[in-house]
Amino acid sequence: MSVRRRRLAVILRLAIVISVLAGIVLTALGPATVTGLLPYFTIQSNVAVGLFAGYAAWRAWRDRPEPPSALKGAVTLYITITGVVYHLVLANPASPFAMVQPDRAFGEALGNQFLHTVVPLLAVADWALFDRRGRLRLRYAAWWLAFPLAYLGFALVRGLIVHRYPYPFIDAGQLGYAGVGLSSLFFAFTFWLLGLLFVGVDRGLARRGTPGATTVDDAAVTDSVASAVEG
């Protein structure tokens, strides 16, 4: 990776880290506390992508190889799930699992958008522009389900203890365990398809020789990315 391209990668990744921190801090200024936010997949996926982006920024700054593509694909998928589920399911009035959106103060509303919109978009942009292409395998889409499934188990066990569930589609108190099982199967299948989409896009970009592909000339990629940023 050329010096100019590394600098662009560092800037984008630092923007992810700052956005994650801003989102959590601004959201915590509302009624929720930091400890009260931790059980949410939103917070866990944002923390994961923030830590990964910080690590990847450090490696780019030191001109070290990029972190494993399978790991980057995983955290990018999880933060994408956060954005997609929020906008299409939780904040969508037409969804059967829509959550009542409270009146938020400006800072809290801004933090909510950082966590559910800004960070997912920046993370996907980083993956598309700077990840090495052609390294993802179809089986990864199944492997990547490990964390969402572990989160489901955590949420259900926690629900037995505190009698609260973070999301309506895993609320065993309202849906029963059979209902949670059905909704979980649907979401797991959807997340698997989303993972396959990432793998398919990765392979498509590798064949076309787009930014991030190992066969592309770094200088040409840098110029195209820089022009897009400046334009």
Side-chain angles (χ1 to χ4, degrees):
M1 191 182 291
S2 68
V3 174
R4 191 178 181 188
R5 187 160 182 239
R6 283 194 289 113
R7 288 175 178 172
L8 289 171
V10 169
I11 290 171
L12 180 55
R13 290 163 185 176
L14 289 180
I16 293 173
V17 174
I18 293 170
S19 297
V20 169
L21 291 173
I24 293 175
V25 170
L26 289 171
T27 302
L29 292 177
T33 62
V34 173
T35 54
L37 291 172
L38 287 177
Y40 287 88
F41 187 89
T42 291
I43 300 300
Q44 295 181 21
S45 61
N46 269 271
V47 169
V49 81
L51 291 173
F52 185 88
Y55 174 63
W58 175 78
R59 292 188 70 87
W61 182 258
R62 298 297 297 270
D63 196 19
R64 296 191 176 185
E66 287 287 290
S69 294
L71 180 58
K72 186 169 186 176
V75 295
T76 306
L77 173 64
Y78 302 150
I79 198 65
T80 302
I81 288 172
T82 292
V84 169
V85 170
Y86 175 77
H87 287 287
L88 297 185
V89 179
L90 300 177
N92 179 9
S95 166
F97 297 118
M99 297 178 69
V100 176
Q101 299 300 305
D103 292 329
R104 298 183 174 95
F106 176 75
E108 187 186 356
L110 185 60
N112 185 64
Q113 290 304 314
F114 269 119
L115 297 176
H116 293 105
T117 307
V118 176
V119 174
L121 289 175
L122 290 177
V124 171
D126 177 42
W127 176 81
L129 293 173
F130 298 111
D131 196 35
R132 293 171 294 180
R133 301 270 72 93
R135 293 172 177 255
L136 299 184
R137 303 292 179 264
L138 291 175
R139 62 181 180 273
Y140 293 173
W143 293 356
W144 291 338
L145 294 179
F147 175 60
L149 292 175
Y151 176 81
L152 173 64
F154 157 77
L156 292 177
V157 171
R158 177 179 177 273
L160 286 173
I161 299 170
V162 303
H163 306 293
R164 291 194 306 274
Y165 298 86
Y167 301 106
F169 46 81
I170 54 174
D171 189 338
Q174 295 293 323
L175 301 177
Y177 287 104
V180 170
L182 287 174
S183 67
S184 298
L185 284 174
F186 169 78
F187 281 103
F189 180 71
T190 303
F191 298 161
W192 176 66
L193 291 179
L194 188 57
L196 289 178
L197 178 62
F198 270 89
V199 176
V201 170
D202 172 70
R203 292 185 173 186
L205 292 176
R207 286 194 296 269
R208 294 178 59 186
T210 51
T214 56
T215 57
V216 180
D217 179 74
D218 249 0
V221 171
T222 301
D223 290 341
S224 64
V225 174
S227 299
V229 172
E230 294 168 0

mmCIF file of all heavy atoms in Angstrom, residues 41 74 77-78 81 142-155 170 184 187-188 191:
data_model
loop_
_atom_site.group_PDB
_atom_site.id
_atom_site.type_symbol
_atom_site.label_atom_id
_atom_site.label_comp_id
_atom_site.label_asym_id
_atom_site.label_seq_id
_atom_site.Cartn_x
_atom_site.Cartn_y
_atom_site.Cartn_z
ATOM 1 N N PHE A 41 -26.829 -5.457 20.945
ATOM 2 C CA PHE A 41 -25.982 -5.846 19.816
ATOM 3 C C PHE A 41 -25.404 -4.611 19.134
ATOM 4 O O PHE A 41 -24.269 -4.630 18.655
ATOM 5 C CB PHE A 41 -26.808 -6.664 18.814
ATOM 6 C CG PHE A 41 -26.001 -7.266 17.697
ATOM 7 C CD1 PHE A 41 -25.436 -8.524 17.829
ATOM 8 C CD2 PHE A 41 -25.816 -6.583 16.506
ATOM 9 C CE1 PHE A 41 -24.689 -9.093 16.802
ATOM 10 C CE2 PHE A 41 -25.080 -7.134 15.472
ATOM 11 C CZ PHE A 41 -24.506 -8.393 15.625
ATOM 12 N N ALA A 74 -16.034 -10.228 9.053
ATOM 13 C CA ALA A 74 -16.933 -10.523 10.171
ATOM 14 C C ALA A 74 -17.418 -9.242 10.847
ATOM 15 O O ALA A 74 -18.623 -9.035 11.009
ATOM 16 C CB ALA A 74 -16.233 -11.432 11.181
ATOM 17 N N LEU A 77 -19.667 -7.252 8.639
ATOM 18 C CA LEU A 77 -21.003 -7.850 8.570
ATOM 19 C C LEU A 77 -21.812 -7.492 9.816
ATOM 20 O O LEU A 77 -22.987 -7.130 9.708
ATOM 21 C CB LEU A 77 -20.896 -9.368 8.437
ATOM 22 C CG LEU A 77 -22.219 -10.139 8.514
ATOM 23 C CD1 LEU A 77 -23.141 -9.777 7.353
ATOM 24 C CD2 LEU A 77 -21.966 -11.637 8.554
ATOM 25 N N TYR A 78 -21.211 -7.575 10.989
ATOM 26 C CA TYR A 78 -21.954 -7.326 12.230
ATOM 27 C C TYR A 78 -22.436 -5.883 12.311
ATOM 28 O O TYR A 78 -23.568 -5.629 12.721
ATOM 29 C CB TYR A 78 -21.084 -7.664 13.442
ATOM 30 C CG TYR A 78 -20.592 -9.086 13.462
ATOM 31 C CD1 TYR A 78 -19.373 -9.424 14.049
ATOM 32 C CD2 TYR A 78 -21.335 -10.112 12.870
ATOM 33 C CE1 TYR A 78 -18.922 -10.739 14.060
ATOM 34 C CE2 TYR A 78 -20.887 -11.426 12.870
ATOM 35 C CZ TYR A 78 -19.669 -11.730 13.461
ATOM 36 O OH TYR A 78 -19.223 -13.019 13.464
ATOM 37 N N ILE A 81 -25.281 -5.504 9.930
ATOM 38 C CA ILE A 81 -26.503 -6.037 10.540
ATOM 39 C C ILE A 81 -27.135 -4.994 11.445
ATOM 40 O O ILE A 81 -28.357 -4.790 11.435
ATOM 41 C CB ILE A 81 -26.184 -7.323 11.323
ATOM 42 C CG1 ILE A 81 -25.886 -8.471 10.357
ATOM 43 C CG2 ILE A 81 -27.329 -7.692 12.262
ATOM 44 C CD1 ILE A 81 -25.375 -9.731 11.033
ATOM 45 N N ALA A 142 -21.165 -18.786 6.922
ATOM 46 C CA ALA A 142 -21.686 -19.609 8.018
ATOM 47 C C ALA A 142 -20.891 -19.386 9.298
ATOM 48 O O ALA A 142 -21.452 -19.281 10.389
ATOM 49 C CB ALA A 142 -21.665 -21.086 7.627
ATOM 50 N N TRP A 143 -19.573 -19.301 9.183
ATOM 51 C CA TRP A 143 -18.737 -19.078 10.360
ATOM 52 C C TRP A 143 -19.089 -17.758 11.046
ATOM 53 O O TRP A 143 -19.068 -17.665 12.278
ATOM 54 C CB TRP A 143 -17.267 -19.067 9.960
ATOM 55 C CG TRP A 143 -16.740 -20.386 9.482
ATOM 56 C CD1 TRP A 143 -17.409 -21.584 9.440
ATOM 57 C CD2 TRP A 143 -15.433 -20.646 8.960
ATOM 58 N NE1 TRP A 143 -16.610 -22.574 8.926
ATOM 59 C CE2 TRP A 143 -15.387 -22.036 8.622
ATOM 60 C CE3 TRP A 143 -14.308 -19.873 8.735
ATOM 61 C CZ2 TRP A 143 -14.253 -22.635 8.077
ATOM 62 C CZ3 TRP A 143 -13.169 -20.466 8.201
ATOM 63 C CH2 TRP A 143 -13.144 -21.829 7.879
ATOM 64 N N TRP A 144 -19.390 -16.752 10.244
ATOM 65 C CA TRP A 144 -19.671 -15.424 10.796
ATOM 66 C C TRP A 144 -20.946 -15.392 11.651
ATOM 67 O O TRP A 144 -21.181 -14.435 12.384
ATOM 68 C CB TRP A 144 -19.774 -14.412 9.670
ATOM 69 C CG TRP A 144 -18.469 -14.130 8.987
ATOM 70 C CD1 TRP A 144 -17.221 -14.332 9.493
ATOM 71 C CD2 TRP A 144 -18.281 -13.604 7.667
ATOM 72 N NE1 TRP A 144 -16.265 -13.966 8.576
ATOM 73 C CE2 TRP A 144 -16.878 -13.516 7.447
ATOM 74 C CE3 TRP A 144 -19.147 -13.200 6.658
ATOM 75 C CZ2 TRP A 144 -16.341 -13.037 6.256
ATOM 76 C CZ3 TRP A 144 -18.618 -12.717 5.469
ATOM 77 C CH2 TRP A 144 -17.230 -12.632 5.278
ATOM 78 N N LEU A 145 -21.776 -16.428 11.533
ATOM 79 C CA LEU A 145 -22.993 -16.485 12.344
ATOM 80 C C LEU A 145 -22.707 -16.824 13.801
ATOM 81 O O LEU A 145 -23.606 -16.729 14.646
ATOM 82 C CB LEU A 145 -23.972 -17.520 11.774
ATOM 83 C CG LEU A 145 -24.572 -17.225 10.398
ATOM 84 C CD1 LEU A 145 -25.489 -18.373 9.983
ATOM 85 C CD2 LEU A 145 -25.338 -15.908 10.400
ATOM 86 N N ALA A 146 -21.477 -17.207 14.110
ATOM 87 C CA ALA A 146 -21.140 -17.634 15.470
ATOM 88 C C ALA A 146 -21.438 -16.537 16.495
ATOM 89 O O ALA A 146 -22.035 -16.807 17.551
ATOM 90 C CB ALA A 146 -19.674 -18.052 15.553
ATOM 91 N N PHE A 147 -21.047 -15.302 16.196
ATOM 92 C CA PHE A 147 -21.270 -14.225 17.163
ATOM 93 C C PHE A 147 -22.753 -13.890 17.327
ATOM 94 O O PHE A 147 -23.247 -13.784 18.464
ATOM 95 C CB PHE A 147 -20.478 -12.981 16.788
ATOM 96 C CG PHE A 147 -20.766 -11.806 17.676
ATOM 97 C CD1 PHE A 147 -20.522 -11.874 19.045
ATOM 98 C CD2 PHE A 147 -21.304 -10.640 17.151
ATOM 99 C CE1 PHE A 147 -20.812 -10.782 19.874
ATOM 100 C CE2 PHE A 147 -21.594 -9.565 17.966
ATOM 101 C CZ PHE A 147 -21.347 -9.631 19.331
ATOM 102 N N PRO A 148 -23.529 -13.706 16.236
ATOM 103 C CA PRO A 148 -24.968 -13.463 16.434
ATOM 104 C C PRO A 148 -25.665 -14.570 17.213
ATOM 105 O O PRO A 148 -26.544 -14.298 18.036
ATOM 106 C CB PRO A 148 -25.510 -13.358 14.996
ATOM 107 C CG PRO A 148 -24.348 -12.884 14.203
ATOM 108 C CD PRO A 148 -23.150 -13.555 14.820
ATOM 109 N N LEU A 149 -25.282 -15.822 16.978
ATOM 110 C CA LEU A 149 -25.894 -16.925 17.710
ATOM 111 C C LEU A 149 -25.479 -16.910 19.173
ATOM 112 O O LEU A 149 -26.288 -17.187 20.070
ATOM 113 C CB LEU A 149 -25.524 -18.262 17.065
ATOM 114 C CG LEU A 149 -26.134 -18.517 15.676
ATOM 115 C CD1 LEU A 149 -25.596 -19.819 15.089
ATOM 116 C CD2 LEU A 149 -27.657 -18.562 15.755
ATOM 117 N N ALA A 150 -24.217 -16.581 19.429
ATOM 118 C CA ALA A 150 -23.762 -16.454 20.819
ATOM 119 C C ALA A 150 -24.485 -15.306 21.509
ATOM 120 O O ALA A 150 -24.862 -15.400 22.687
ATOM 121 C CB ALA A 150 -22.247 -16.241 20.858
ATOM 122 N N TYR A 151 -24.700 -14.219 20.771
ATOM 123 C CA TYR A 151 -25.437 -13.080 21.339
ATOM 124 C C TYR A 151 -26.868 -13.488 21.675
ATOM 125 O O TYR A 151 -27.406 -13.086 22.717
ATOM 126 C CB TYR A 151 -25.446 -11.907 20.361
ATOM 127 C CG TYR A 151 -26.268 -10.754 20.877
ATOM 128 C CD1 TYR A 151 -25.744 -9.864 21.799
ATOM 129 C CD2 TYR A 151 -27.601 -10.580 20.472
ATOM 130 C CE1 TYR A 151 -26.514 -8.835 22.309
ATOM 131 C CE2 TYR A 151 -28.366 -9.561 20.978
ATOM 132 C CZ TYR A 151 -27.818 -8.685 21.893
ATOM 133 O OH TYR A 151 -28.582 -7.675 22.411
ATOM 134 N N LEU A 152 -27.495 -14.279 20.818
ATOM 135 C CA LEU A 152 -28.849 -14.753 21.092
ATOM 136 C C LEU A 152 -28.890 -15.533 22.400
ATOM 137 O O LEU A 152 -29.777 -15.316 23.241
ATOM 138 C CB LEU A 152 -29.333 -15.635 19.936
ATOM 139 C CG LEU A 152 -30.666 -16.352 20.139
ATOM 140 C CD1 LEU A 152 -31.809 -15.361 20.281
ATOM 141 C CD2 LEU A 152 -30.936 -17.324 18.988
ATOM 142 N N GLY A 153 -27.932 -16.439 22.568
ATOM 143 C CA GLY A 153 -27.876 -17.199 23.807
ATOM 144 C C GLY A 153 -27.693 -16.292 25.017
ATOM 145 O O GLY A 153 -28.355 -16.474 26.053
ATOM 146 N N PHE A 154 -26.806 -15.322 24.895
ATOM 147 C CA PHE A 154 -26.576 -14.362 25.981
ATOM 148 C C PHE A 154 -27.848 -13.601 26.319
ATOM 149 O O PHE A 154 -28.218 -13.446 27.492
ATOM 150 C CB PHE A 154 -25.464 -13.386 25.569
ATOM 151 C CG PHE A 154 -25.494 -12.077 26.297
ATOM 152 C CD1 PHE A 154 -25.035 -11.990 27.609
ATOM 153 C CD2 PHE A 154 -25.983 -10.928 25.672
ATOM 154 C CE1 PHE A 154 -25.067 -10.766 28.285
ATOM 155 C CE2 PHE A 154 -26.017 -9.718 26.334
ATOM 156 C CZ PHE A 154 -25.560 -9.631 27.650
ATOM 157 N N ALA A 155 -28.555 -13.104 25.288
ATOM 158 C CA ALA A 155 -29.759 -12.308 25.512
ATOM 159 C C ALA A 155 -30.858 -13.120 26.177
ATOM 160 O O ALA A 155 -31.591 -12.617 27.044
ATOM 161 C CB ALA A 155 -30.251 -11.717 24.189
ATOM 162 N N ILE A 170 -36.540 -11.115 19.930
ATOM 163 C CA ILE A 170 -35.992 -12.175 20.790
ATOM 164 C C ILE A 170 -36.586 -12.063 22.206
ATOM 165 O O ILE A 170 -35.991 -12.539 23.172
ATOM 166 C CB ILE A 170 -34.454 -12.137 20.854
ATOM 167 C CG1 ILE A 170 -33.948 -10.757 21.277
ATOM 168 C CG2 ILE A 170 -33.849 -12.554 19.523
ATOM 169 C CD1 ILE A 170 -32.440 -10.715 21.505
ATOM 170 N N SER A 184 -35.605 -16.171 15.112
ATOM 171 C CA SER A 184 -34.149 -16.341 15.079
ATOM 172 C C SER A 184 -33.714 -17.081 13.827
ATOM 173 O O SER A 184 -32.688 -16.747 13.217
ATOM 174 C CB SER A 184 -33.677 -17.086 16.324
ATOM 175 O OG SER A 184 -33.968 -16.345 17.497
ATOM 176 N N PHE A 187 -33.879 -14.552 10.960
ATOM 177 C CA PHE A 187 -32.783 -13.580 10.978
ATOM 178 C C PHE A 187 -31.452 -14.260 10.686
ATOM 179 O O PHE A 187 -30.606 -13.681 9.986
ATOM 180 C CB PHE A 187 -32.741 -12.846 12.320
ATOM 181 C CG PHE A 187 -33.756 -11.747 12.435
ATOM 182 C CD1 PHE A 187 -34.909 -11.928 13.165
ATOM 183 C CD2 PHE A 187 -33.567 -10.533 11.796
ATOM 184 C CE1 PHE A 187 -35.868 -10.923 13.259
ATOM 185 C CE2 PHE A 187 -34.502 -9.524 11.875
ATOM 186 C CZ PHE A 187 -35.656 -9.708 12.609
ATOM 187 N N ALA A 188 -31.250 -15.473 11.205
ATOM 188 C CA ALA A 188 -30.001 -16.183 10.932
ATOM 189 C C ALA A 188 -29.857 -16.450 9.435
ATOM 190 O O ALA A 188 -28.769 -16.276 8.861
ATOM 191 C CB ALA A 188 -29.954 -17.489 11.714
ATOM 192 N N PHE A 191 -29.019 -13.160 7.770
ATOM 193 C CA PHE A 191 -27.632 -12.761 8.008
ATOM 194 C C PHE A 191 -26.668 -13.627 7.205
ATOM 195 O O PHE A 191 -25.628 -13.151 6.739
ATOM 196 C CB PHE A 191 -27.295 -12.868 9.501
ATOM 197 C CG PHE A 191 -28.126 -11.966 10.379
ATOM 198 C CD1 PHE A 191 -28.227 -12.209 11.747
ATOM 199 C CD2 PHE A 191 -28.812 -10.876 9.853
ATOM 200 C CE1 PHE A 191 -28.989 -11.389 12.564
ATOM 201 C CE2 PHE A 191 -29.583 -10.048 10.660
ATOM 202 C CZ PHE A 191 -29.671 -10.310 12.020
#
